[in-house]
Amino acid sequence: MLRTTGSHPPHRGRWAGPDAQVRLFGSRLDDSARGGDVDLFVALERPVEQPVLVSAQLSARISRRLQGRRVDVILSTPNLRTLPIHDVARREGVLL
């Protein structure tokens, strides 16, 4: 499992802004699961004009910091529709 205890990740503000809430969810929370990508839920209090671009940029930046491990970023903002995956991430995710 990825480290989920301690203080906030030091680069969170630079990657997603100081108001971001970042949750790790999915298979990385299961110590018995092997492999798989890193699933991150990023909730922002402000609207995002180009959510696909923002999600891709966050994914690429974090992936580079994790030595190329695949990172999926799910965004939640006031201007985006809420999908079932958002509910799963909020319910099961661990706040980083």
Side-chain angles (χ1 to χ4, degrees):
M1 180 168 101
L2 292 175
R3 183 177 68 91
T4 59
T5 58
S7 63
H8 293 294
H11 301 290
R12 184 190 67 184
R14 187 173 357 147
W15 290 340
D19 66 329
Q21 283 193 352
V22 180
R23 293 182 182 275
L24 175 68
F25 71 103
S27 63
R28 286 288 161 185
L29 292 178
D30 182 356
D31 286 335
S32 65
R34 301 184 72 179
D37 57 0
V38 175
D39 297 310
L40 295 176
F41 174 76
V42 178
L44 302 173
E45 295 178 7
R46 66 191 188 302
V48 173
E49 286 187 32
Q50 297 179 318
V52 173
L53 178 61
V54 170
S55 181
Q57 288 174 334
L58 287 170
S59 178
R61 289 176 186 163
I62 297 166
S63 179
R64 282 193 296 271
R65 296 284 299 189
L66 297 176
Q67 290 83 39
R69 184 178 307 267
R70 184 176 161 177
V71 177
D72 291 335
V73 174
I74 306 296
L75 283 182
S76 175
T77 68
N79 63 314
L80 294 177
R81 187 172 44 146
T82 299
L83 300 173
I85 190 68
H86 293 101
D87 296 330
V88 170
R90 280 188 186 99
R91 185 177 59 248
E92 299 176 7
V94 174
L95 190 61
L96 300 180

